[in-house]
Amino acid sequence: MIKKFIEHTGLAAGLARDNVDTDMIIPARYLTSTSREGYGKNLFKELREKDPDFFLNQERLGEASILISGRNFGCGSSREHAVWALMQAGFRVIIAESFADIFKSNSERNGLILVSLQREIIRELLERAAASELVLTVNLEKLSVSDRQGNLISTFEYDPFRRYCLLNELDDLDYLLSFKAELMKFRTERAEKLFLGGEDGES
Amino acid sequence: MARNIIEKIWERHVIAEQEGHPAVLGIDLLLLHEVTSAQAFQMLEERNLTPFAPDMCVATLDHSIPTRPDRFNIIDPEARIQVETLRSNCSRYNIRLYDFESGYQGIVHVIGPELGLTRPGMTIVCGDSHTATHGAFGALAFGIGSTEVGHVLASGALLQRMPRTIKVNFKGELKEGVFSKDVVLELIRQIGTAGANGHVIEYCGEAVRRMSMEERMTICNMSIECGARAGLISPDEITIEYLRTRRYSPRGKEFESAVENWLAYASDPDACYDREITIDLTSLEPLVTWGTNPAQAAPVSKKVPDFSEYVGGGSSADFQAALNYTGLKPGDALEGVPVERAFVGSCTNGRIEDLRIVANILRGRRVKEGVKFYIVPGSERVRSQAIEEGLDKIFKEAGADFRMPGCSMCLAMNDDVVPAGQRCISSSNRNFVGRQGPGSITHLASPATVAASAVKGCITDCREYL
């Protein structure tokens, strides 16, 4: 379900690495549930168990709701559970150099805001988050990231259509279904061409 | 104007496109499995909707099921509920499900092609990132999340923007002992894990034209590992011959007229792309990964590279972290690294040609004592074909474990798990930290390299065993 997003202010935590993959975010063995809920507790499970200093184990970062990371965040599987796990653990924004494609579309459809910033800015934010409490405000209307003092850190780009959907809490489905006649027409034409289901009578 | 295959498929499937909006892209085939579909069906129910076109959906069981002979008995209660949920959703909405012992159950990306459901010019989606496998047939196939699975279920379409395109031109001939798995690992090694983000790849070149459909599937399958949501290959005579006898393929005159449509999707000779990459395969050797992503690969005869020689992307800290995890260091020889586990299977390399290659290496040899070798067919069809050819006997005599079909040890969400601290040489697609089980170490390679390494008990150049 898409969650509306206009502006969010929260504590930022750093995960200073590239290629944070979906198996890292939530290992496949926690995906046997049929629900959309209950994944937050297994967020970054292996890293959390192995490394006592991992950010989720630090008391001062317990309330973090913004995560800062490197390049190609969310690479790997299409599991939307990765987005659910992050959101259910309280995250509303991921700031990173870049994101993997499927993770990005899953995030857009849930209201987890992905902000791409340049590597130098990311590095600076990671340093600030490691040194002391870093509170950031991310505004989707203004497309801006600013700090607690109100200083603008950076603006960012966001797909205008996706931005409109998030600001207004609109998901794709109502829009898709508004094309009912066109969808039916396409289906009929294609079904004739594709012979799907034509041969199978046994199983 | 000359068009590439991606543009041709795109144009054929755009149902509507309004100013400022992504296109409404019609989907031909939705593949379902137990792990990513339940939430989609749930979404439909919550909104009081029913599947738009049940006949465009095909489901099977693959990810969370056991591969033991008594696989009907799913011990993990959650996994059992997941499987039961798919069964009840399929029966409720009249969706075809290839269940255990249907003769066709298997990994979703293995059964689509073998049933002839996957065809040139189609749009195919599935809640699985390796959906690009179907691109081998000249279909635009890509992985989506569960919410989007729900959108396709409810509307038969998705909101999409036209992807950017890359042409990868594979030049030259492959040497003996070098397989399509090595080819795709080389591409990922060169361009990195994010090298094709935001793009769809078309694989071209003489080397691809000579490949069988199964070899092509291995290449398309791993497109996502360099960031491309989809990867495809223009259809040709090899594609047509593969399709001719498939269960769902049209017959007779209908087939011949379909062929004309299918071949018309092939890229025009002077089609344009946003980027082009050329990779010379002439001197390519069998590869094996040494780190924790698929770009961290090197020729098996070489050493773990220094950071200065590494081109796969990421910081030096990440490079070091990967080696800390796999217990290797720059300058270590890859050949001779001992393995406790070997795995041939998955949507990347679990098809009959893969099993034949393995059998040729195992024939008259034994798996090294102390090595546990799982050979997991991609589908019930692959398994019965292997038995028909007597491959099962070769596997058994060699001391390997020939199991029932499923995703198995590729992703450790069923009973097949590599124990912590153990090292596995694997024909699968991801060597992420903990991918095959918490604390497990994965080395990706071709089925030939896996089989040879299982025999020798350590990472080995398969060419000594061919």
Side-chain angles (χ1 to χ4, degrees):
Chain A
M1 291 296 134
I2 197 157
K3 200 166 169 183
K4 186 175 179 142
F5 190 103
I6 295 171
E7 181 184 89
H8 174 77
T9 298
L11 182 64
L15 181 52
R17 60 197 300 170
D18 293 332
N19 292 315
V20 169
D21 63 65
T22 50
D23 281 79
M24 234 179 254
I25 298 171
I26 185 160
R29 64 185 182 284
Y30 301 114
L31 309 185
T32 48
S33 164
T34 53
S35 164
R36 281 192 298 257
E37 303 295 329
Y39 299 100
K41 61 180 187 293
N42 294 318
L43 178 69
F44 292 118
K45 184 77 167 191
E46 267 199 48
L47 293 169
R48 215 192 306 188
E49 282 175 353
K50 264 198 337 219
D51 178 5
D53 295 328
F54 188 66
F55 78 90
L56 287 173
N57 293 330
Q58 296 178 32
E59 207 171 319
R60 74 171 188 97
L61 293 172
E63 296 299 310
S65 58
I66 297 174
L67 182 61
I68 306 163
S69 192
R71 190 195 291 171
N72 201 29
F73 187 95
C75 63
S77 107
S78 65
R79 64 189 68 158
E80 197 162 322
H81 313 66
V83 173
W84 297 332
L86 283 159
M87 291 184 79
Q88 287 159 18
F91 288 93
R92 286 309 316 271
V93 178
I94 315 287
I95 299 175
E97 197 187 334
S98 63
F99 298 91
D101 289 1
I102 310 180
F103 180 79
K104 189 173 161 204
S105 51
N106 286 339
S107 297
E108 288 166 346
R109 280 154 183 85
N110 284 275
L112 178 67
I113 303 305
L114 307 185
V115 175
S116 296
L117 297 181
Q118 284 172 354
R119 199 164 181 85
E120 302 80 66
I121 302 173
I122 297 280
R123 192 174 303 145
E124 187 198 317
L125 288 176
L126 284 169
E127 278 167 20
R128 286 175 68 178
S132 62
E133 189 183 77
L134 175 65
V135 174
L136 297 174
T137 297
V138 174
N139 186 304
L140 190 62
E141 262 172 346
K142 298 179 190 152
L143 296 172
S144 66
V145 181
S146 46
D147 64 14
R148 183 154 35 189
Q149 291 71 39
N151 302 312
L152 177 71
I153 291 169
S154 182
T155 54
F156 61 92
E157 289 180 10
Y158 208 89
D159 181 300
F161 174 76
R162 290 292 158 203
R163 176 166 163 250
Y164 176 79
C165 289
L166 286 157
L167 292 171
N168 297 289
E169 208 170 359
L170 302 171
D171 85 352
D172 295 7
L173 197 49
D174 291 325
Y175 181 73
L176 284 167
L177 292 174
S178 72
F179 293 95
K180 195 110 197 185
E182 291 88 342
L183 293 168
M184 295 290 280
K185 182 167 169 274
F186 173 84
R187 193 82 245 132
T188 317
E189 280 176 19
R190 289 298 287 171
E192 271 174 30
K193 281 241 163 56
L194 284 172
F195 313 98
L196 270 186
E199 305 292 313
D200 190 36
E202 301 155 46
S203 67
Chain B
M1 205 182 101
R3 292 175 305 160
N4 65 46
I5 182 169
I6 302 149
E7 293 163 331
K8 290 184 190 183
I9 299 175
W10 184 266
E11 285 162 23
R12 181 67 191 82
H13 289 80
V14 170
I15 293 176
E17 196 166 15
Q18 291 180 326
E19 175 99 29
H21 287 67
V24 176
L25 186 73
I27 301 300
D28 294 319
L29 178 63
L30 171 64
L31 297 166
L32 299 162
H33 62 84
E34 72 276 21
V35 180
T36 54
S37 62
Q39 294 88 351
F41 284 107
Q42 192 189 332
M43 189 183 90
L44 257 64
E45 270 164 51
E46 286 163 4
R47 300 175 70 139
N48 232 348
L49 295 164
T50 53
F52 178 74
D55 63 340
M56 68 175 280
C57 306
V58 173
T60 191
L61 307 171
D62 55 9
H63 281 68
S64 56
I65 54 168
T67 59
R68 291 175 266 110
D70 62 335
R71 60 190 175 141
F72 286 92
N73 177 20
I74 301 173
I75 293 161
D76 175 0
E78 266 203 341
R80 193 165 59 225
I81 292 169
Q82 201 168 55
V83 164
E84 284 305 330
T85 305
L86 181 64
R87 285 183 179 134
S88 66
N89 281 325
C90 287
S91 98
R92 174 167 177 199
Y93 296 117
N94 203 18
I95 290 171
R96 261 170 296 173
L97 167 68
Y98 288 102
D99 204 332
F100 291 151
E101 305 305 319
S102 61
Y104 289 95
Q105 174 269 331
I107 305 174
V108 67
H109 311 310
V110 175
I111 74 164
E114 76 185 8
L115 281 161
L117 292 165
T118 303
R119 304 190 202 144
M122 287 175 83
T123 48
I124 301 177
V125 295
C126 174
D128 189 281
S129 62
H130 293 111
T131 305
T133 313
H134 307 267
F137 292 81
L140 182 62
F142 52 93
I144 55 177
S146 300
T147 298
E148 286 184 291
V149 171
H151 296 166
V152 179
L153 264 179
S155 73
L158 273 178
L159 279 188
Q160 289 285 305
R161 291 203 186 275
M162 170 77 193
R164 282 170 291 163
T165 55
I166 299 179
K167 178 181 184 174
V168 172
N169 193 20
F170 289 120
K171 255 178 56 186
E173 255 183 88
L174 291 181
K175 289 194 292 197
E176 171 91 1
V178 183
F179 298 89
S180 64
K181 179 63 161 286
D182 302 305
V183 171
V184 70
L185 283 173
E186 176 63 13
L187 169 70
I188 301 161
R189 189 190 72 81
Q190 286 196 21
I191 72 171
T193 51
N197 277 12
H199 291 78
V200 171
I201 299 175
E202 182 181 355
Y203 300 102
C204 303
E206 272 312 300
V208 173
R209 288 293 141 224
R210 277 190 293 270
M211 283 180 193
S212 70
M213 288 316 296
E214 298 199 358
E215 291 172 312
R216 294 176 187 185
M217 282 188 249
T218 300
I219 292 192
C220 292
N221 171 274
M222 287 189 73
S223 301
I224 188 72
E225 311 309 336
C226 58
R229 205 166 181 177
L232 44 58
I233 294 173
S234 282
D236 59 13
E237 279 308 313
I238 292 175
T239 319
I240 304 305
E241 281 318 302
Y242 181 100
L243 287 167
R244 195 176 291 278
T245 54
R246 301 288 143 181
R247 184 179 176 88
Y248 284 100
S249 286
R251 302 276 186 251
K253 271 207 191 103
E254 281 191 337
F255 186 86
E256 295 316 319
S257 79
V259 165
E260 207 176 306
N261 286 329
W262 292 340
L263 291 176
Y265 279 104
S267 289
D268 298 332
D270 44 356
C272 294
Y273 302 80
D274 294 298
R275 282 166 63 196
E276 294 201 24
I277 298 168
T278 297
I279 294 184
D280 189 355
L281 303 175
T282 321
S283 55
L284 185 65
E285 294 188 29
L287 297 187
V288 64
T289 61
W290 45 261
T292 54
N293 71 53
Q296 297 177 327
V300 68
S301 61
K302 298 274 167 34
K303 296 177 163 58
V304 176
D306 279 329
F307 183 64
S308 62
E309 304 158 308
Y310 169 59
V311 294
S315 65
S316 68
D318 290 347
F319 174 85
Q320 195 48 54
L323 287 176
N324 288 347
Y325 187 79
T326 59
L328 297 170
K329 52 185 193 309
D332 281 354
L334 286 163
E335 260 189 288
V337 172
V339 296
E340 288 87 20
R341 297 277 180 149
F343 171 59
V344 163
S346 84
C347 55
T348 313
N349 280 121
R351 286 170 284 264
I352 190 67
E353 289 177 12
D354 299 312
L355 300 195
R356 286 181 192 139
I357 291 166
V358 170
N360 280 335
I361 290 175
L362 292 185
R363 188 178 285 117
R365 296 192 174 104
R366 293 276 310 167
V367 172
K368 182 84 170 179
E369 206 177 312
V371 176
K372 241 178 154 173
F373 187 3
Y374 274 18
I375 300 171
V376 184
S379 69
E380 290 182 352
R381 284 282 296 162
V382 172
R383 188 181 151 83
S384 57
Q385 178 73 27
I387 290 169
E388 203 171 291
E389 295 178 21
L391 308 186
D392 58 322
K393 292 193 188 68
I394 299 170
F395 299 151
K396 191 162 179 244
E397 279 161 21
D401 191 351
F402 184 50
R403 302 177 67 88
M404 301 304 285
C407 299
S408 183
M409 208 177 257
C410 174
L411 84 170
M413 75 167 299
N414 46 63
D415 302 344
D416 303 345
V417 173
V418 175
Q422 290 199 2
R423 196 179 289 278
C424 181
I425 181 97
S426 178
S427 78
S428 53
N429 41 55
R430 288 192 179 128
N431 51 341
F432 293 162
V433 169
R435 170 77 176 182
Q436 294 189 289
S440 64
I441 302 165
T442 302
H443 295 275
L444 303 177
S446 74
T449 299
V450 173
S453 303
V455 168
K456 200 153 177 186
C458 58
I459 295 175
T460 300
D461 193 324
C462 64
R463 291 172 294 189
E464 298 163 33
Y465 289 81
L466 294 172

